[in-house]
Amino acid sequence: MKSGPGFRSLAYAAMVIALAFVGISGCVLSQQRPAGIPQADQYAFLDHHTYYSGTLVNGKCYPAVINFSTYRLEMETGSLEGILPFEVNDSLLLIYGESTSLSGDYGNGSSGMLTGVYALPHSSGILTVNGFTSDGTMYLTYHNQTIALEPGTQWTDVMTDTEVTTACTINRTVTDILTYYGNYQKSAIKKTGIHG
């Protein structure tokens, strides 16, 4: 059966309207990130803290002293305060905090730094953040093992060894803690100067 000009006009009009709706929804969806990924006004916070402690076995070593804290997260308020050597904008997905603490005969004090992440996967040394699942679980690789962290959970690894130098021997314990705190509002970020 042959369609008349009226039918073709209606079909053409329907197609134009359908494309218009696709274009509009495409604009809306382009501003909305997939489920599980922080939205434009939020960021995910991952903290990696390494604790070194030691007990002197023999010899004489001078303990290291570090004291350069660059960030602090208030979990109750979601306020992140620290030195931000990066831009906080809509593209910011993740803030990665990396810190070190020394205790015992190994030394004392702590230091840390924040890094802004705008695209995934992101690598820092032997740690790589691969991405998020739709339920917000973060997947990362550390020491060649895959780790899945839900918001508010952590992964801990404890290693003991003996460090031998020409001056001394120290029994050392290294504790790695990866904590994925979840998503926080970018509006609660407070940029500060260096503080101890």
Side-chain angles (χ1 to χ4, degrees):
M1 181 171 119
K2 205 171 173 185
S3 59
F7 179 77
R8 275 194 294 253
S9 297
L10 285 174
Y12 178 76
M15 185 176 71
V16 169
I17 291 170
L19 287 173
F21 278 123
V22 169
I24 292 169
S25 64
C27 290
V28 172
L29 290 175
S30 68
Q31 296 173 4
Q32 186 79 9
R33 293 176 179 167
I37 296 178
Q39 297 304 306
D41 61 343
Q42 299 177 324
Y43 69 95
F45 187 67
L46 174 67
D47 189 57
H48 180 198
H49 199 112
T50 306
Y51 296 89
Y52 293 88
S53 63
T55 303
L56 185 65
V57 176
N58 59 52
K60 185 166 181 68
C61 278
Y62 294 98
V65 178
I66 54 175
N67 188 16
F68 187 70
S69 180
T70 61
Y71 64 92
R72 182 177 64 233
L73 175 70
E74 295 289 339
M75 289 178 56
E76 298 78 20
T77 63
S79 172
L80 177 66
E81 182 179 354
I83 297 171
L84 306 176
F86 54 88
E87 189 176 347
V88 177
N89 57 30
D90 287 350
S91 299
L92 181 68
L93 288 172
L94 168 73
I95 296 180
Y96 174 55
E98 191 171 13
S99 56
T100 302
S101 294
L102 307 178
S103 64
D105 292 324
Y106 208 79
N108 62 70
S110 63
S111 67
M113 61 180 286
L114 294 172
T115 302
V117 177
Y118 303 89
L120 298 176
H122 170 78
S123 294
S124 178
I126 58 172
L127 183 142
T128 299
V129 179
N130 297 305
F132 300 86
T133 59
S134 60
D135 66 355
T137 300
M138 177 186 289
Y139 278 85
L140 48 93
T141 307
Y142 185 57
H143 280 299
N144 295 319
Q145 62 180 308
T146 300
I147 301 166
L149 290 175
E150 296 177 1
T153 62
Q154 66 180 208
W155 173 90
T156 303
D157 181 65
V158 180
M159 179 195 76
T160 58
D161 63 7
T162 301
E163 185 174 315
V164 180
T165 69
T166 55
C168 66
T169 301
I170 292 180
N171 286 337
R172 181 177 70 167
T173 301
V174 181
T175 305
D176 264 328
I177 300 177
L178 294 165
T179 307
Y180 172 36
Y181 286 94
N183 296 347
Y184 292 99
Q185 295 295 317
K186 291 176 183 174
S187 59
I189 295 173
K190 298 177 183 176
K191 187 172 184 177
T192 63
I194 296 173
H195 56 82

